[in-house]
Amino acid sequence: MRLVRVNPRMSRILRLLVTALALCSCLAVPGLTPAAAAPAARGPAPAARAADRPDGIPPLTDDRGRVITLRGWNVEDKTGRGESALTAVTEKHFRDMRAKGFNAARLLVFWDDLEPRRGRYSQEYLRRIERILNWAHRHGIQVVLDAHQDVFGPAFGRRGIPEWAARTDGLPFTPHPDDWFSEYFEPAVQRAFTHLYEDPDLRRAQARMWRVLAARFGGHPAVLGYDLINEPMGELRDGEDLATAARRIEREQLTPMYNRLADAVRSVDRDSWLFVEPTPIVGEGVPTGLGRIEDPKVVYAPHFYNTAMEAGADYDPDAGWIEAYEAAVTVYPARQRIPVVVGEWGPLNNALPNMSRFYRDALASLSRYSSGWAGYVWCYGGGYCAVDAEGRFRANKEQTAAPYAAAVAGRVAVDAYDPGGGTYRLRYRATGRGAGVSELSLPPAPAGWRIAVTGRAWTPTEAAAPGRACTVWVLAAPGAEVEVMVTRGDVNQG
């Protein structure tokens, strides 16, 4: 294949450039990494957004105007605290994720570790976050820093918001060790959220915490953005059902909180994306009550969990849960004209009879409206872990490793993977943004992959070696109608 209608001298230069990039990823030249070849793009420019999806949701774009897709996993250490905080996260996490074709991570950080005593920020904790970000950058992984909380924080035996910030007005709290999520509905926990949202000094403290993080990491090449608070909840009023309460909390408390935190971040970091979450009630197919966040770089970041499946039930394809979730979750980003990245998803019992169907249905749904996702969670063992102790995908989770367009320098018309047929198809109209270079990510496949490009475009990679992940660069002339077909090596093309 060859590039046509390009100045010969420029063609030679671009061929050398793209060939060098391809060598870094597909042939694994020692000493070269994807991060070194093509640094992770940061800080998208809203004016450069590509064409919206059919539902009106704009795609995520990078600072070169390319449409980007995030595929990755949450990375966490919920057990380490103080001197041991974040020590369970190692470089292996990022190396292994990249080796399976993923390009993103949502890193859980805890306010109670950052500021264990009011006004005193742990420099050691900041250094540990920086070390992790350096590993991520080394392996070409873009990171969203997530201010995580579970059931508010240490005041209730969990992690997240510091104990000194927990105000309960003496209301009771009863632990529920067999159903931790129900602890959100304990009176003391609910009142603590109300004080966080409404007390001026706690508002200032939360904003200062984010200024500390954003000032330290806003310039780091691995940082894509900040998830301002994980799974926020609030206090139900007498007579309110859960859906009504969730929409009120989102409208009256979360929306102003996000605007305050956006102002705090922007005082020190003008470039990174801000990820905002609704309450977890959206998992029941309830549209959010969030209002407008007055910032040009906002991503809607809901989670994708089903109550019955979280309690151990198998997936019921006939229940219509995924369809109801998709219909509800797309209303807000379409109205606000902001991209979607699902921050957490994935069942606990992934080996049940219908789970293979669940992964197929869920991945197809996510691809229709989101610019990416982070599965829960990249760890080595059982439960929610993506892989076992030997690094092999646990049952059905191998479906998450599929071809995708990590960056497209153009307006995407078709972006679809057929896992049964072993084929991936990308069709787009090249815009010339990002030097006209698009990037495809291919996971390891036993028989490798075959790549075919048609249109005024060229790739140096016509085949990917068996058993290793590969990044494929495609260079297109501005205005070209380009189609890329990727076929698994064991699929008969005849």
Side-chain angles (χ1 to χ4, degrees):
M1 299 175 189
R2 61 191 182 91
L3 184 68
V4 298
R5 295 184 184 177
V6 176
N7 177 279
R9 181 175 178 273
M10 183 60 68
S11 177
R12 287 194 298 272
I13 293 171
L14 293 173
R15 283 172 185 262
L16 289 171
L17 171 63
V18 179
T19 301
L21 294 175
L23 286 172
C24 292
S25 181
C26 295
L27 301 184
V29 175
L32 292 176
T33 66
R42 292 175 37 79
R49 281 176 176 160
D52 292 353
R53 295 171 179 269
D55 53 18
I57 298 173
L60 199 61
T61 56
D62 66 12
D63 57 0
R64 288 175 277 176
R66 301 182 303 172
V67 174
I68 62 173
T69 297
L70 306 177
R71 296 282 175 87
W73 294 83
N74 284 260
V75 175
E76 67 179 28
D77 178 6
K78 288 187 176 182
T79 58
R81 308 178 81 166
E83 293 184 358
S84 65
L86 288 176
T87 56
V89 178
T90 68
E91 185 173 2
K92 176 180 171 63
H93 287 71
F94 302 96
R95 182 176 60 245
D96 289 356
M97 276 192 285
R98 189 65 182 186
K100 292 188 182 296
F102 300 106
N103 69 347
R106 179 175 179 261
L107 176 64
L108 278 60
V109 297
F110 296 106
W111 184 2
D112 60 296
D113 275 327
L114 176 62
E115 192 181 2
R117 296 177 60 186
R118 186 166 188 163
R120 301 187 64 175
Y121 299 96
S122 170
Q123 295 305 308
E124 178 59 28
Y125 191 63
L126 291 168
R127 283 191 290 270
R128 291 178 184 179
I129 295 172
E130 186 169 23
R131 179 178 62 183
I132 291 170
L133 293 174
N134 291 342
W135 291 334
H137 179 55
R138 184 178 303 162
H139 295 286
I141 301 290
Q142 299 180 83
V143 176
V144 175
L145 291 176
D146 161 44
H148 205 83
Q149 66 80 30
D150 293 316
V151 193
F152 202 82
F156 308 107
R158 304 291 176 176
R159 303 299 314 280
I161 299 163
E163 191 163 6
W164 55 259
R167 296 172 181 169
T168 67
D169 296 339
L171 294 175
F173 171 73
T174 302
H176 299 268
D178 296 327
D179 182 14
W180 69 270
F181 192 79
S182 66
E183 294 175 353
Y184 276 112
F185 302 99
E186 286 292 311
V189 175
Q190 296 199 347
R191 184 59 54 84
F193 276 107
T194 296
H195 282 292
L196 176 69
Y197 302 143
E198 297 183 359
D199 290 8
D201 63 324
L202 293 183
R203 290 179 176 184
R204 290 192 296 269
Q206 189 183 24
R208 283 196 303 269
M209 178 271 294
W210 266 116
R211 280 196 295 272
V212 168
L213 284 173
R216 179 66 175 262
F217 302 119
H220 197 288
V223 173
L224 178 71
Y226 312 111
D227 192 332
L228 297 177
I229 186 171
N230 177 71
E231 296 185 352
M233 291 288 281
E235 187 168 5
L236 278 67
R237 294 174 178 168
D238 289 343
E240 279 186 325
D241 59 45
L242 187 54
T244 301
R247 287 193 292 268
R248 174 186 53 78
I249 292 164
E250 290 159 345
R251 180 178 63 253
E252 298 179 6
Q253 294 176 317
L254 298 188
T255 300
M257 177 190 70
Y258 286 139
N259 278 300
R260 289 193 301 272
L261 298 182
D263 289 342
V265 169
R266 293 302 177 221
S267 70
V268 293
D269 179 357
R270 305 298 301 177
D271 296 324
S272 302
W273 283 105
L274 303 181
F275 290 67
V276 299
E277 299 187 31
T279 65
I281 310 308
V282 296
E284 300 306 307
V286 177
T288 182
L290 278 176
R292 181 162 185 79
I293 313 305
E294 298 296 338
D295 190 276
K297 298 180 180 178
V298 175
V299 179
Y300 185 49
H303 292 180
F304 180 36
Y305 291 119
N306 174 262
T307 301
M309 291 168 64
E310 288 299 290
D314 199 358
Y315 173 57
D316 180 359
D318 298 324
W321 166 61
I322 289 179
E323 294 81 0
Y325 176 89
E326 182 175 336
V329 83
T330 52
V331 173
Y332 176 76
R335 183 172 65 244
Q336 299 295 332
R337 308 282 293 168
I338 58 176
V340 178
V341 173
V342 171
E344 288 186 25
W345 74 284
L348 174 61
N349 298 320
N350 54 285
L352 295 172
N354 289 333
M355 284 301 170
S356 179
R357 170 71 180 274
F358 166 74
Y359 276 94
R360 291 197 303 274
D361 291 352
L363 288 165
S365 175
L366 289 167
S367 70
R368 285 192 289 268
Y369 64 86
S370 82
S371 289
W373 44 258
Y376 189 81
V377 58
W378 193 271
C379 54
Y380 302 85
Y384 286 101
C385 286
V387 294
D388 63 19
E390 285 71 43
R392 298 169 301 207
F393 276 120
R394 299 183 61 241
N396 295 308
K397 295 188 183 243
E398 73 283 350
Q399 294 186 49
T400 61
Y404 63 97
V408 179
R411 302 172 73 88
V412 178
V414 176
D415 182 359
Y417 177 57
D418 173 14
T423 58
Y424 170 74
R425 182 185 179 207
L426 173 68
R427 183 160 55 85
Y428 65 98
R429 182 180 180 84
T431 60
R433 292 179 178 140
V437 178
S438 298
E439 303 172 23
L440 277 63
S441 180
L442 309 181
W449 300 91
R450 297 186 295 269
I451 301 100
V453 177
T454 57
R456 290 186 296 147
W458 171 80
T459 178
T461 309
E462 297 187 1
R468 73 180 346 147
C470 180
T471 298
V472 176
W473 275 264
V474 178
L475 178 64
E481 296 288 346
V482 181
E483 182 163 281
V484 184
M485 288 292 296
V486 179
T487 308
R488 212 172 52 227
D490 59 352
V491 173
N492 188 340
Q493 289 183 307

